[in-house]
Amino acid sequence: QLVAEAKDTDQETYLVAGLNLVNLYQRLTEYERAAALASDLLVAADNYGSDYYLAFVKIAHAPNLLQVSDLQGALALFEEASRWLQENNVKAPLPEILQRWSKTLFGVGYAVPAYQALQQSIDIQTELDKLQRQNDAVLANARLATEQTQRALLQSQNDKALVSAELQRKRLQSQFMLTVLLAILVVGIILIFFYWQMRKANRQLNYASTHDALTKVHNRRFFDLELVPQLLDGKPFLLVSFDIDHFKKSADCV
């Protein structure tokens, strides 16, 4: 039903479904129906312009020719298709295709071509295995190189993190030292300011204790501090006394 519906509407679906149906007909030994459908598929693949599908249709059609004893035609058709697959690097399905072809040839009594097809299958599989090993080796080397690159990148990131941490530590240390220096400077300025204030206050207290607040002249305390020691030591000194008349009135006015 799918083959019938897709024949005039979807050529690719028609080719894929038709190839599966040809193989099914062959398993059921309905070779006439298989040959008829394969002939239609050859025309469809050629019209579709796909050498890929054309090659697989030829491979599917070759066993049909064996059933009518056309060995040369079957071999030529199969060889043409398999050569196209090899030349276009579609080798992966070839070993299994050749094994089925060998079994088909042997089944209808063509032992020599069957052996040749089987040997070709082995050769292609050996080539594919060798290529696979090479690809695996290349992939392993690439994986190793990637891992080495990742390790190098990780090491670089770790080194960068260590450098950043060291720079951060030095930055914090510098900030701490700067803060300490600023604190010392501020404390020093404060101490100097208070020391200057104390010196000033001491001078003011000393002046106030040795001078009369009103007249600004030396008082009795100054006499006791400065003159009495000289008197006791026997040092000569001059004492001048002034008597100001009515000084009390002037003081009371002030």
Side-chain angles (χ1 to χ4, degrees):
Q1 182 180 356
L2 179 60
V3 170
E5 291 176 353
K7 183 174 183 180
D8 298 323
T9 58
D10 188 343
Q11 288 294 297
E12 186 170 13
T13 301
Y14 173 67
L15 290 169
V16 173
L19 282 169
N20 283 276
L21 189 55
V22 168
N23 291 328
L24 180 60
Y25 284 154
Q26 290 172 351
R27 291 179 184 178
L28 297 174
T29 67
E30 296 184 13
Y31 292 105
E32 291 184 3
R33 300 180 67 180
L37 179 56
S39 298
D40 291 341
L41 291 175
L42 286 172
V43 176
D46 188 56
N47 293 334
Y48 186 60
S50 172
D51 292 335
Y52 177 84
Y53 284 117
L54 184 60
F56 279 96
V57 172
K58 290 178 179 179
I59 289 173
H61 187 45
N64 298 326
L65 299 180
L66 291 179
Q67 299 304 315
V68 294
S69 301
D70 187 4
L71 175 61
Q72 297 303 320
L75 292 176
L77 192 65
F78 188 92
E79 174 63 23
E80 181 182 358
S82 63
R83 184 171 57 253
W84 185 92
L85 292 177
Q86 293 184 66
E87 291 174 352
N88 290 272
N89 203 28
V90 189
K91 296 181 179 180
L94 271 176
E96 183 179 354
I97 291 173
L98 285 165
Q99 289 176 16
R100 291 201 307 268
W101 178 236
S102 173
K103 185 177 180 180
T104 301
L105 289 168
F106 189 79
V108 293
Y110 299 112
V112 174
Y115 172 78
Q116 293 174 345
L118 184 60
Q119 186 61 48
Q120 187 180 6
S121 171
I122 295 173
D123 293 341
I124 293 177
Q125 186 62 56
T126 301
E127 180 183 355
L128 290 174
D129 292 341
K130 180 180 178 181
L131 182 61
Q132 184 63 43
R133 288 193 297 270
Q134 292 175 349
N135 291 337
D136 291 342
V138 172
L139 182 61
N141 291 333
R143 187 180 298 112
L144 178 61
T146 301
E147 292 175 354
Q148 291 175 345
T149 302
Q150 290 176 344
R151 286 196 296 268
L153 180 59
L154 181 60
Q155 183 63 38
S156 176
Q157 291 175 345
N158 292 336
D159 293 342
K160 183 178 179 181
L162 290 175
V163 171
S164 299
E166 181 65 17
L167 290 176
Q168 181 68 13
R169 187 188 67 81
K170 290 184 178 180
R171 188 181 300 109
L172 292 175
Q173 184 178 10
S174 299
Q175 292 176 352
F176 175 75
M177 294 299 297
L178 180 61
T179 302
V180 171
L181 290 176
L182 289 175
I184 293 174
L185 180 62
V186 171
V187 171
I189 292 174
I190 293 174
L191 291 175
I192 291 173
F193 173 76
F194 278 107
Y195 175 77
W196 180 79
Q197 291 292 335
M198 289 178 62
R199 288 285 303 273
K200 182 180 179 181
N202 287 335
R203 287 195 300 268
Q204 291 176 348
L205 289 174
N206 185 55
Y207 181 85
S209 66
T210 58
H211 290 75
D212 181 72
L214 180 62
T215 61
K216 308 302 181 185
V217 298
H218 292 104
N219 57 16
R220 174 65 181 269
R221 177 177 171 78
F222 180 80
F223 181 81
D224 292 338
L225 293 175
E226 297 294 335
L227 299 182
V228 170
Q230 296 186 31
L231 178 62
L232 294 176
D233 292 340
K235 294 182 180 180
F237 64 90
L238 176 65
L239 175 63
V240 179
S241 177
F242 293 92
D243 184 18
I244 303 175
D245 295 335
H246 310 295
F247 180 74
K248 184 177 184 304
K249 294 179 180 181
S250 299
D252 292 341
C253 291
V254 176

